[in-house]
Amino acid sequence: MTSSALKHSSRFSRDRWLVAVLTGAAALSAAILVFVVVFLARESWPALDRIGVTRFLSDDGWFPTSGRFELTPMLAGSLIVTLGSLLVAAPVGVGAAVFTQFYAPGAIARWYRRAMGVLAGVPSVVLGLFGLMTIVPWIARIRAPGASVLAGALLLALMILPTIVLMTDAAFAAVPRSQLSAAAALGYGRWTTIRRIALASARPSIVSAIVLALARAIGETMVVLMVCGNVVQYPSSPFSPVRTLTANIALEMPYATTLHRSALFVGGLLLVLAVGLAFWCLARFQIRLERDD
């Protein structure tokens, strides 16, 4: 066998090993997800079997010791706080990425990216303490009690902002310079070039950044536990205190037993299903954007 044939055979063997390793990694990731869902379903089954699905949606409150297990106020609280944080963080994050990539001097842009990297690594309990000592009293001066939907949304927005900024900035950096140069040659101004070329090219990546930010926000526990007030109710305004599903599990799991414990797992299963539905909708939206492009 010639040396070129040996090299080709060796390269083919390495490629096969690489494919096998990557396939195994993908299968392991899927298996972990399936295991988590099966575990939640198994632990939830006693409550689903004895209480029934409809009572989790129609009982008159969350009073496990009295046999009432309504989860919808906490699901509503989770979704409202998460959507509120996205409404704040998404436009601010995309705007900051536009500034960093197209307007800021090089030194400022570099330092800003480093600052976002540091902010992304701040522990959630530290952000919760910051919110508890600054954001909550500030909101309380406007309208008591301060711990509220608004406080949770602002703190979660601060938490997910680096994800949106850094991923959107990377997407803008990946836009071919030739397209930007061609737009300038056609007489487009800077903002027109950003709007028609950069934002259009980076739309799928921006959607991906928002999806990842959504995943972190809806699964966050410590921040919402510290600043949202932990009152089981449907919020009537941004200043209303709420309890989220994650906070409810963290608060009550240490002492929950029997049906109470199983009902908390139903809350976790409901949260997973809500996240899965949100991801599916955003994925369909992203596929449509890519087809349009």
Side-chain angles (χ1 to χ4, degrees):
M1 184 178 292
T2 63
S3 60
S4 60
L6 285 173
K7 290 180 180 178
H8 178 75
S9 176
S10 176
R11 187 180 303 112
F12 179 72
S13 178
R14 289 197 300 270
D15 289 345
R16 290 177 58 187
W17 275 105
L18 179 61
V19 170
V21 170
L22 295 177
T23 302
L28 178 62
S29 302
I32 291 172
L33 175 61
V34 172
F35 173 78
V36 170
V37 174
V38 170
F39 171 76
L40 288 173
R42 187 188 68 183
E43 296 294 330
S44 302
W45 178 248
L48 293 173
D49 183 45
R50 293 181 56 183
I51 300 172
V53 176
T54 56
R55 284 188 55 194
F56 286 105
L57 305 177
S58 61
D59 274 358
D60 60 350
W62 175 261
F63 304 101
T65 56
S66 302
R68 289 175 284 175
F69 297 93
E70 187 184 19
L71 290 173
T72 48
M74 290 174 283
L75 177 61
S78 296
L79 296 178
I80 290 170
V81 171
T82 300
L83 292 176
S85 68
L86 287 178
L87 288 175
V88 174
V92 172
V94 173
V98 168
F99 170 77
T100 303
Q101 191 63 227
F102 298 104
Y103 290 94
I108 294 178
R110 285 192 298 272
W111 281 106
Y112 186 79
R113 294 186 187 103
R114 292 171 186 170
M116 288 295 102
V118 172
L119 180 59
V122 174
S124 59
V125 67
V126 175
L127 289 176
L129 285 172
F130 167 75
L132 194 62
M133 301 304 295
T134 59
I135 302 297
V136 170
W138 172 70
I139 295 175
R141 286 197 294 269
I142 301 173
R143 183 172 173 181
S148 59
V149 170
L150 181 59
L154 291 177
L155 264 294
L156 284 184
L158 185 63
M159 178 177 291
I160 65 178
L161 182 63
T163 299
I164 298 176
V165 171
L166 294 175
M167 289 190 65
T168 304
D169 180 68
F172 286 147
V175 176
R177 297 294 103 178
S178 59
Q179 294 184 11
L180 302 178
S181 299
L186 290 173
Y188 286 179
R190 181 182 295 184
W191 172 240
T192 304
T193 301
I194 294 169
R195 181 168 54 87
R196 294 190 178 181
I197 307 298
L199 284 172
S201 299
R203 273 189 305 175
S205 297
I206 295 173
V207 172
S208 297
I210 293 173
V211 167
L212 290 177
L214 169 67
R216 185 176 186 193
I218 201 168
E220 175 56 36
T221 302
M222 187 56 66
V223 165
V224 294
L225 182 65
M226 298 175 73
V227 304
C228 283
N230 297 312
V231 178
V232 181
Q233 63 176 2
Y234 292 101
S236 58
S237 76
F239 300 97
S240 299
V242 293
R243 180 184 292 187
T244 65
L245 284 172
T246 53
N248 189 57
I249 294 170
L251 283 170
E252 301 189 8
M253 185 59 76
Y255 62 86
T257 59
T258 60
L259 279 182
H260 184 189
R261 180 180 182 275
S262 184
L264 293 176
F265 276 99
V266 174
L269 184 62
L270 183 61
L271 187 62
V272 169
L273 294 177
V275 171
L277 179 62
F279 271 53
W280 182 81
C281 293
L282 288 171
R284 295 292 299 175
F285 178 68
Q286 186 172 18
I287 291 171
R288 183 174 298 178
L289 284 179
E290 291 174 350
R291 286 176 179 173
D292 292 342
D293 292 339

